[in-house]
C-alpha cells in the first residue's frame, strides 16, 4: 500500500483479486446499524466488546470470514449486546472501491445486507475479474472516476446482483459516480491502516487494540470467548 490517492489505483492483470459486567438490557441488536466516522457499526454502540473489522471485498479470506462467523458472531455476541461490529474498508485495488460504493448505496440500515451479498457472491464476480479483456482493463483504468466505477460494476455483474434488493441501474449509477466518496474511501483506508498498523485483511481491532495474528473466525472466536468468560467471572 504505497499510494492512497484514487488516481493511483490500477488493476494489474495478475491481481488476485474497561468492560461493564453485563451487556445492555435485552434487545435485538442485530437490527441496530449506525454509520460512523470511518465505517458502519452493527449492534449496541455501548457494548463492552467493540470490534472493528478491516475488510477488502477482493480478499477471499474476508469472504470466508463472513461465511464462517455470521451465525455465531451475530447471534451469540451482537444480538445479545456483548459485542458491536464496525466494518471499515481497506482498499487494495480499484475493484475494492467500486464494491465499497455499492455496499454503501442506499439507507444506512441496508449496509450490512449489501455487505453480506457482496461477500457471498464474491466467487462469481472475482471469476469475471480474472477473465478481463484488454479492452475492459482499459475502461477500468482510464476516464473519469465515475465512468471507471460504472465499468467495473457492469463487468463484474454488480447491477444484476443488487437488482433483487430493489436497486435500479440509476440508483447504483448515482452511488458509483460519487467521486468525492470514492476519494474519501481511499484516503480513510490509508489512514486507518497507518493508525492501527494493519498489514492485511481481514484484520481486527478489539477495544482499540489490533489483534496481531488474528485473521480468521476460529482465531477471533477464541479471543471473544475468552473476553466473554472474563466478563462472566467479573459478575460472580
Amino acid at each position: 500500500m504505497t499510494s492512497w490517492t484514487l488516481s493511483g489505483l490500477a488493476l494489474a492483470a495478475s491481481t488476485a483479486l474497561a468492560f461493564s459486567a453485563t451487556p445492555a438490557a435485552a434487545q435485538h441488536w442485530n437490527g441496530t446499524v449506525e454509520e460512523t466516522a470511518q465505517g458502519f457499526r452493527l449492534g449496541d454502540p455501548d457494548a463492552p466488546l467493540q470490534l472493528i473489522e478491516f475488510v477488502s471485498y477482493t480478499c477471499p479470506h474476508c469472504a470466508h470470514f463472513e461465511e464462517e462467523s455470521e451465525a455465531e458472531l451475530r447471534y451469540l455476541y451482537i444480538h445479545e449486546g456483548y459485542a458491536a461490529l464496525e466494518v471499515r474498508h481497506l482498499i487494495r485495488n480499484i475493484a475494492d472501491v467500486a464494491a465499497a460504493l455499492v455496499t454503501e448505496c442506499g439507507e444506512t440500515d441496508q449496509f450490512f445486507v449489501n455487505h453480506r451479498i457482496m461477500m457471498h457472491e464474491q466467487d462469481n464476480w472475482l471469476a469475471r475479474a480474472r477473465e478481463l479483456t484488454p479492452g475492459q482493463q482499459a475502461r477500468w483504468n482510464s476516464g473519469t472516476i465515475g465512468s471507471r466505477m460504472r465499468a467495473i460494476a457492469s463487468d463484474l455483474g454488480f447491477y444484476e446482483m443488487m437488482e433483487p434488493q430493489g436497486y435500479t441501474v440509476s440508483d447504483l449509477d448515482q452511488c458509483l459516480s460519487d467521486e468525492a466518496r470514492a476519494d474519501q474511501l481511499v484516503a480513510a483506508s490509508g489512514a486507518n491502516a497507518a493508525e492501527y498498523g494493519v498489514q492485511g485483511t481481514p484484520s481486527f481491532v478489539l477495544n482499540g487494540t489490533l489483534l496481531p495474528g488474528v485473521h480468521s473466525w476460529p482465531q477471533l472466536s477464541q479471543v471473544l470467548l475468552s473476553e466473554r468468560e472474563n466478563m462472566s467471572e467479573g459478575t460472580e
Side-chain angles (χ1 to χ4, degrees), residues 76-96:
L76 293 185
Y77 290 96
I78 297 174
H79 180 275
E80 299 298 325
Y82 285 102
L85 172 67
E86 180 180 351
V87 169
R88 298 188 186 182
H89 305 297
L90 199 150
I91 304 301
R92 305 193 308 165
N93 53 62
I94 197 169
D96 274 335

Side-chain angles (χ1 to χ4, degrees), residues 1 6 10 20 28-30 38 50 62 72 91 102 105 112 161 174 176 198 207 231:
M1 292 179 286
L6 185 56
S20 56
H28 298 313
W29 288 109
N30 265 316
Q38 299 292 343
Q50 293 291 322
C62 296
E72 192 172 349
I91 304 301
V102 169
C105 199
F112 281 93
M161 184 176 71
Q174 183 175 358
L176 290 162
V198 175
N207 292 342
M231 290 163 56

Side-chain angles (χ1 to χ4, degrees), residues 2-65:
T2 59
S3 175
W4 294 109
T5 60
L6 185 56
S7 61
L9 288 173
L11 181 81
S14 61
T15 298
L17 293 175
F19 300 146
S20 56
T22 58
Q27 180 172 332
H28 298 313
W29 288 109
N30 265 316
T32 302
V33 180
E34 179 183 5
E35 184 172 3
T36 68
Q38 299 292 343
F40 290 81
R41 180 171 55 222
L42 178 67
D44 180 4
D46 296 318
L49 301 177
Q50 293 291 322
L51 182 67
I52 300 172
E53 176 191 1
F54 288 95
V55 61
S56 158
Y57 287 114
T58 56
C59 161
H61 296 296
C62 296
H64 295 160
F65 174 81

